[in-house]
Structures are given as structure tokens and as C-alpha cells.
Amino acid sequence: MISLSLSDKVMIGTALLGGMSGVVGSFAVLRGRALVGDMLAHAALPGVCLAFLITGNRHLLGLSLGALASGLAAIAAVTVILRWTRTKEDAAIGIVLSTFFGAGVVLLSVVQKPSTGGNKAGLHAYLFGEPGGMLNSDVLLLAGVAVVVLAMVALFYKEFLVVCFDTDFAQSQGWPTLWLDLAMMAALAVVTIVGLPIVGVILMAAMIILPAATARFWTNRLSVMLLVSCGFGAAAGVLGTRLGRGYPAGAAIVLTASFLFLVSLLFAPQKGLVARLLVEYRLRRRIADEHLLRTLYELSEPQLPESPVIPLESVREYRHWNSLERVLERARDEELIEWGEEQVQLTPLGVHRAAQLTKAHRLWELYLMDYANIAPDHVDRDADDVEHMLPEALLVKLEEELAAEGRLPAVLAEVPESPHELSPET
Amino acid sequence: MSQTAFEVHDMTVAYHRRPVLWDIDLEIPEGKLVGIVGPNGAGKTTLIKAALGLVQLASGKVEIYGKSYEEQRHLIGYVPQRESVDWDFPVTVRDVVLMGTYGRLGWFRRPGKAELEIADRSLQHVGMGAFAKRQIRQLSGGQQQRVFLARALAQEAQIYFLDEPFAGVDAATESAIVELLEELRTSGKTVLVVHHDLQTVSDYFDYVILLNMRLIACGPVEETFTNENLQKTYGGRLTILDEAAEAIRRSKPLQ
């Protein structure tokens, strides 16, 4: 059945649709309008059926105009409900979406009665999507819409950006925010509607939301997000039609998009789940390691520079530990401690490292208590950085204060810094 | 006498047919730091939004240097409330500050080298030069406020409207903002600031607008920021009255 040229057509068509869905979807998702796309898609169904009943054929253009008309009616209905009742936006969208969709299903059954005749099966594509029926003219229409939408975004990038981020500010600069907003909505509506016969009214929202939400994991710049989202959308279209042969194509495209989302959610750098868990795990491990060294330092402090043997019991009592043994193992592997038989001792390297840590920590405490309001920009930094980020004069002052309180780790100067000199004789 | 930077005539603003500002009449001379003070719901933010054309006037008019704001937009800098935007939006600090130059650029033109320089200079001005490439989500509240100020500086305006710039910021940012306000005044700019802390009004501002849906008073701080006017502004709210009395007591030695 499927000739090569048709499969090429389908691939080009779905790629175009995916790409432009990704772009307009990015703006919709960032503006919190993801559900508007869903509503538009569902609300298009009665319009499609009515257009078919009126025109008697299923040219994409006629059906799309019908879809557009009922989509606009749905937006108007939501606006009226919001303006005149106390219904919240999500509820209003839900009401309108399901009402229009219900009406659409009823109309569809009317269209499919034998008495109305004609291409009954054709309209079913609008429910679940069927790119296999794509005509040359359909591909041309998709390409035309894609060019217009992409040109619009390229042309108005700066204007869309400022309106999306801060509408009031944009308006104070004199931008016609209402019209720019409507332009974004119109692009969303048009893309949704031309996508309906390919993906279907039920799944079209996924094409709007998924590529944009996926792209958000990979970047912090809107310009990059638009490109990445466009790419993900196109890839979902191509891969979905390729891999999903023999299955409903719309569903296959959406599932591919979902898969890309899932992979990004798990493995994207920085924002992916795995990366975030890893960062958290490392942080916790480091904090535990530092706690151990500071605890040991503070327990050893009275006898320093002699490094005393400390019973593990007192380490356990000193603070709460989640897995003291593992922390001790790591410290031993780094040759910071000697550990055995329920007791533990800092090596000279350990004393040095622990003294550094304790000093930084105490300076930091003091700084936060007395001076933090001078430089709150720095509060989110690590305590370790304290010596690099504070002005020399302040550091000296802090050290003097610590020394006056008798809490300045004094051994630093006496402990050799190089690890090579220390090993055996401890 | 210097010229009038900002004036409002018989202005009434209503939301859903409920007036929030009644018959406001005021004039602010050029080069003043102006505190806009009043209880919650007094219409302070609305006054600013009306001045910028962000809400419709039910009646009356607003003039910036003698002309309507539509004609004078290029003279206006605006700092909205910090919470009014999504700080998870995918833009960098520099992107946000660049938005200040958009008004001058006009349709279709992209910010170029000159605009980048303005943005970076504005960021340095508020002590955020090192943060230009940061994603805005990574900023603290005080830093967010400074970014908004930098964006307003990049507007290179003549008259600035700041909506609660001191809300929820740290002490360092607060003093940085005060310093910035004074610099702006020195260079002849007019700055109107919605302000909540009565204690600091006489320290920070030289002009004050007392507002509670109606204009209670508008004038130089030493004449206008009086116990009597504050009582009229805040009505019978005891705790705030105490605060007001304290503010007056504190400000006395300055006069």
C-alpha cells in the first residue's frame, strides 16, 4: 500500500508538524498555556464535522477552517466563563474542552450514518490521527504554515520574549502586549489545527507540550530552547512514523516524544534526575566527611599538637551519624585517620586538613553572625571559599576575633603541608 | 523652581466598577526622591500602574513632563514587583537587563553591541557585574531586585517608578538601592518609590505621597510626613499608628 513517495511525504509532513509544534509549544508552556492547546484540539472536532457536512468533501483546508472556527468559539466560551462567573481557569478549560469534544463525537456519528454517504472513514483520522492519508497538498499546507510560523517567531523573537517574561514591563515600554499575545495564540491555534489529521485531537496536546517540556531540561536560554524543542518535535515525528509502522501513527509519534521526554528527565545534565541525585549524594558525602574531620579535630583540640587516640564512643556521642563506618573508611582511604579497635586517631595530614576545615568553618560562622549583612551575595558560597572571597582586612579581623575567643586552630603552621613527609611514623 | 516631572489630575481608577483611587491630584517636581506611602490596598501600586498606562483610568489624566505617557514612554523607567514574574524563565541575567533597551530599539531590531554595553554597565552599577551569564533562577531575592533595577537603568529614563523595591531584600541590597536612588537624584532624575517601612521614609525620601484610596497629602517630607497626616492615612489601625508615632519621633532630630 505505502509507496516510497508516500512514506517520504509522511516523514516530511510529520517532521514539519513536530518542528513547529515544538516552537509554538515552547511559548505556550512558558506562559502556562499548555492546556489551551489541548482545548483547541478537542474543541476542533465539532468544527471539522460541521465543515464536512457543509462542504461535503474532506479537503484539509476546508476542514481546518471549520476546526479554527470552533476552536475560536471555545476560547470565547472560556473567556466568557472566566469573566462572568467565579469558575477557575482550569475548570473552565475542562468544561469547554469536554463539552465541545462531546458535541464533536455526536456530530461524527451523524456524519458516519450511511444516509450522509461519502468518505466516512476519512474523518476518523481526526480522532486518533492518520498521516498515511497525506496528500501532496497537505504537505504543502504544512510547509506553508511552518514557514509562516517560524518567520513570525524569528521576526518577533525579542517582542515575544519580553511579553512572555514580563507583560507589564513590556506594556510600560509601549509594546502592544495584547496583540503580541494574540499572535502567539493564533500561531498555537493554527499549528494545532493543521496537526489534527496527523496526530488526532486527543493526542495533539502532547505534540505541543512534550517537545517544549523536553527542551527545557537541556537549556536555560529561550533561543536555544526554541531550537532544541523544534529538533525534538521533528525527531519525534520522523522516528515515530518510522518505528511505529503498523501501529496508529499519531500514537507512535506521541510515544516517541514521551520517550525523549523520559530520557531527558532522567539523563539531562544538571536538570536531569540522575544528575541531581548524584550532586545531592556527593554533597551529603562531603558534608559527612567534613563533619568527621571537624569532630575529630574538636575532640583532639585540647591535646594538640599531639594527636590523641580517640575512642569511637566519644565520636558517636559527639553528634548524630548516619553511617559512621563508611565515613571512617573513606577518611582512612585518604590517609586522614588511623582507625581500629573502637578507636581513631588523626594522622598529621588529617590534623592539617581538619584544622583547615575547622578554621574555615569557624571564620564562616563568625562572618555570618557579625558581617553577613555586608555581603549577602556571598552567602550561597561554600564555607571553603571563605578565605578566597573575603577581603584580606576582614579576614585578618575575623581571625583576630577567633583568636581572642581562643578558637583559632593554632596547629596549622606546625603541621607540614606535604603529604609525602608524613606517612610511616604516625 | 524646577519644572514638574509628573502630574496627575482628577484621576479615578476602578477595578470592576469598584474605585480604588478617587480624584487624585498631585504634582511632583523634577529631581525628587518620592516615597509613595499608605496601608495595604491603598492603591499605591495602582497609582504607579495608572501612571504607566497599565490600567485604564476611569477619569482624569496623567502627565509626564507635561505630555501624556504615550508620548513620553522613552522617559520612563519601571521596576515592577519582584514576584510579578516567573524567575524560572529560561533567560540569563543579561537577557533580562537587555530588555530595558527594547523600548528604544523598536520593532524587529535586535540588541547589538551598544545595548550589550549598556546592559553590562547597568549590571555593574548595581554590583551584579559578575552575574551577567547566570540563569535568573539562581539568584537570591536581593539579587533579583538588583537585576530589575539594572533593567530600569538600562532604560536610561528620566523618571523612574519603583514598586516595592525594598520588599524582602537583604540589608546590603537595601543600602545599595538607597545609594542608587541618591545617585539618580544627583543626576536630575525623578524617582517614585512604593514604600512600606514608615521608619525609613524621612531618611530615604525628600518628597512623600500619602495615599489611602484618596490622596491624603503630597509634598516635601518635612512638611507632609506629619503625625496628623499619618493618622489620616492609616486611620484607626493601632499597631501601624504606633509605628507611625515612632517614625515621627525618629525623624524629629533630622529637621
Side-chain angles (χ1 to χ4, degrees):
Chain A
M1 275 281 287
I2 299 172
S3 71
L4 189 69
S5 71
L6 178 61
S7 81
D8 283 350
K9 257 191 297 193
V10 169
M11 211 165 73
I12 294 168
T14 51
L16 284 168
L17 175 68
M20 59 188 171
S21 305
V23 173
V24 298
S26 294
F27 289 110
V29 166
L30 287 175
R31 294 221 80 186
R33 296 248 175 85
L35 278 179
V36 173
D38 197 20
M39 181 187 73
L40 277 171
H42 280 78
L45 193 59
V48 169
C49 296
L50 285 175
F52 177 76
L53 284 173
I54 293 166
T55 63
N57 63 45
R58 53 185 196 94
H59 283 309
L60 188 54
L61 192 61
L63 298 186
S64 294
L65 287 177
L68 188 62
S70 65
L72 289 177
I75 289 180
V78 169
T79 314
V80 167
I81 291 175
L82 288 182
R83 183 84 171 75
W84 300 106
T85 74
R86 288 173 168 274
T87 315
K88 296 267 189 298
E89 188 177 11
D90 56 344
I93 287 179
I95 292 165
V96 173
L97 178 154
S98 40
T99 307
F100 274 69
F101 186 63
V105 172
V106 170
L107 280 172
L108 197 62
S109 73
V110 172
V111 171
Q112 285 180 313
K113 276 188 185 138
S115 55
T116 48
N119 297 296
K120 348 177 176 166
L123 289 196
H124 249 294
Y126 277 83
L127 268 186
F128 297 112
E130 188 40 71
M134 211 178 281
L135 308 170
N136 284 337
S137 60
D138 297 347
V139 177
L140 277 177
L141 180 71
L142 284 167
V145 173
V147 167
V148 171
V149 164
L150 295 183
M152 186 170 94
V153 170
L155 218 54
F156 293 103
Y157 175 75
K158 162 176 121 255
E159 289 77 7
F160 286 164
L161 170 63
V162 67
V163 170
C164 279
F165 176 66
D166 192 345
T167 311
D168 271 0
F169 182 79
Q171 201 180 336
S172 83
Q173 282 185 323
W175 298 109
T177 51
L178 183 66
W179 289 107
L180 287 165
D181 213 16
L182 282 176
M184 281 186 272
M185 280 280 255
L188 178 67
V190 170
V191 170
T192 304
I193 282 158
V194 296
L196 290 182
I198 298 173
V199 194
V201 296
I202 300 172
L203 294 177
M204 188 55 211
M207 285 310 288
I208 299 287
I209 301 169
L210 277 172
T214 309
R216 191 69 187 84
F217 279 106
W218 297 88
T219 174
N220 281 324
R221 298 294 299 272
L222 178 62
S223 47
V224 183
M225 179 178 164
L226 290 173
L227 290 174
V228 173
S229 176
C230 184
F232 275 132
V238 173
L239 291 175
T241 40
R242 269 288 156 87
L243 302 175
R245 241 174 235 163
Y247 298 97
I253 293 170
V254 168
L255 283 177
T256 312
S258 308
F259 176 73
L260 292 174
F261 176 78
L262 191 68
V263 169
S264 305
L265 176 135
L266 288 176
F267 302 113
Q270 288 173 40
K271 272 179 265 192
L273 211 55
V274 172
R276 275 167 47 192
L277 287 177
L278 205 64
V279 166
E280 202 172 303
Y281 169 71
R282 285 200 188 122
L283 179 70
R284 253 193 250 154
R285 211 169 77 165
R286 215 188 83 197
I287 289 175
D289 292 351
E290 291 184 357
H291 278 166
L292 177 71
L293 284 181
R294 271 182 23 229
T295 301
L296 291 177
Y297 183 85
E298 278 164 14
L299 289 171
S300 311
E301 202 167 15
Q303 275 119 297
L304 287 170
E306 205 67 29
S307 173
V309 172
I310 300 161
L312 268 188
E313 194 51 38
S314 38
V315 176
R316 281 202 192 90
E317 276 166 17
Y318 200 79
R319 67 182 308 141
H320 170 78
W321 302 95
N322 275 330
S323 50
L324 183 57
E325 271 67 31
R326 280 225 296 271
V327 183
L328 287 167
E329 271 167 30
R330 283 199 299 269
R332 186 177 54 193
D333 292 348
E334 288 186 52
E335 299 183 5
L336 299 173
I337 58 165
E338 302 276 324
W339 168 34
E341 286 300 309
E342 282 301 297
Q343 52 191 21
V344 61
Q345 184 187 21
L346 283 167
T347 64
L349 177 64
V351 171
H352 184 72
R353 185 80 61 81
Q356 274 179 328
L357 268 175
T358 309
K359 180 181 164 195
H361 184 79
R362 288 178 181 172
L363 285 173
W364 187 241
E365 267 180 351
L366 197 62
Y367 169 71
L368 281 183
M369 276 188 292
D370 297 351
Y371 299 93
N373 55 356
I374 296 175
D377 292 359
H378 298 148
V379 175
D380 56 342
R381 305 249 185 107
D382 272 332
D384 295 358
D385 294 342
V386 69
E387 289 168 81
H388 304 294
M389 61 173 251
L390 293 183
E392 187 68 30
L394 180 57
L395 210 58
V396 171
K397 196 156 173 249
L398 284 172
E399 282 185 19
E400 278 168 8
E401 276 180 50
L402 264 192
E405 291 173 26
R407 295 172 63 226
L408 184 69
V411 293
L412 277 177
E414 295 145 38
V415 182
E417 281 204 39
S418 162
H420 305 296
E421 295 173 40
L422 352 136
S423 23
E425 55 203 79
T426 16
Chain B
M1 189 62 196
S2 59
Q3 58 177 322
T4 303
F6 174 60
E7 56 191 306
V8 175
H9 294 295
D10 305 325
M11 182 178 80
T12 295
V13 181
Y15 286 135
H16 297 291
R17 280 177 261 127
R18 195 170 53 86
V20 280
L21 284 175
W22 283 93
D23 283 335
I24 307 293
D25 256 295
L26 55 86
E27 268 184 40
I28 304 292
E30 185 178 41
K32 299 289 180 199
L33 295 185
V34 187
I36 303 176
V37 176
N40 288 331
K44 304 185 292 291
T45 296
T46 307
L47 178 69
I48 281 192
K49 289 196 167 181
L52 297 166
L54 301 180
V55 296
Q56 293 243 310
L57 309 188
S59 72
K61 66 172 176 177
V62 171
E63 287 184 347
I64 313 278
Y65 284 97
K67 289 182 187 162
S68 73
Y69 53 74
E70 283 97 347
E71 293 169 85
Q72 304 285 46
R73 280 199 214 279
H74 58 285
L75 297 180
I76 296 175
Y78 176 37
V79 177
Q81 285 182 22
R82 193 157 50 82
E83 299 81 32
S84 64
V85 305
D86 169 16
W87 288 96
D88 196 23
F89 202 85
V91 283
T92 62
V93 166
R94 185 191 269 144
D95 292 334
V96 173
V97 179
L98 273 173
M99 289 178 195
T101 68
Y102 284 9
R104 246 188 339 277
L105 279 172
W107 289 100
F108 310 127
R109 282 180 54 211
R110 295 288 170 82
K113 220 174 173 188
E115 283 73 27
L116 275 174
E117 266 166 34
I118 293 172
D120 286 344
R121 206 177 331 125
S122 307
L123 272 174
Q124 274 154 21
H125 208 134
V126 297
M128 294 279 292
F131 290 76
K133 288 185 180 149
R134 287 258 194 124
Q135 212 276 323
I136 56 171
R137 185 182 27 187
Q138 302 163 348
L139 303 178
S140 71
Q143 290 166 344
Q144 293 173 350
Q145 193 64 60
R146 288 171 191 230
V147 171
F148 262 18
L149 283 166
R151 181 176 69 172
L153 288 178
Q155 291 186 279
E156 299 187 328
Q158 198 56 37
I159 172 165
Y160 288 89
F161 295 89
L162 278 51
D163 201 346
E164 301 208 20
F166 296 110
V169 303
D170 47 85
T173 300
E174 177 146 353
S175 55
I177 297 174
V178 172
E179 213 171 286
L180 185 71
L181 293 181
E182 275 156 12
E183 275 173 47
L184 287 170
R185 172 174 55 191
T186 312
S187 49
K189 320 279 189 191
T190 312
V191 189
L192 287 91
V193 182
V194 171
H195 193 58
H196 257 307
D197 182 12
L198 294 175
Q199 316 268 4
T200 49
V201 168
S202 11
D203 296 341
Y204 292 174
F205 303 108
D206 34 38
Y207 231 73
V208 65
I209 297 173
L210 290 169
L211 206 63
N212 192 352
M213 296 181 70
R214 292 156 198 273
L215 182 71
I216 308 297
C218 171
V221 168
E222 32 319 337
E223 296 157 26
T224 315
F225 197 62
T226 61
N227 213 344
E228 197 194 339
N229 278 337
L230 280 172
Q231 289 209 9
K232 279 194 216 160
T233 312
Y234 284 90
R237 299 180 204 196
L238 277 177
T239 49
I240 298 174
L241 267 186
D242 288 346
E243 205 186 321
E246 166 71 7
I248 297 295
R249 196 183 54 71
R250 266 178 40 118
S251 66
K252 276 282 145 62
L254 288 172
Q255 289 169 21

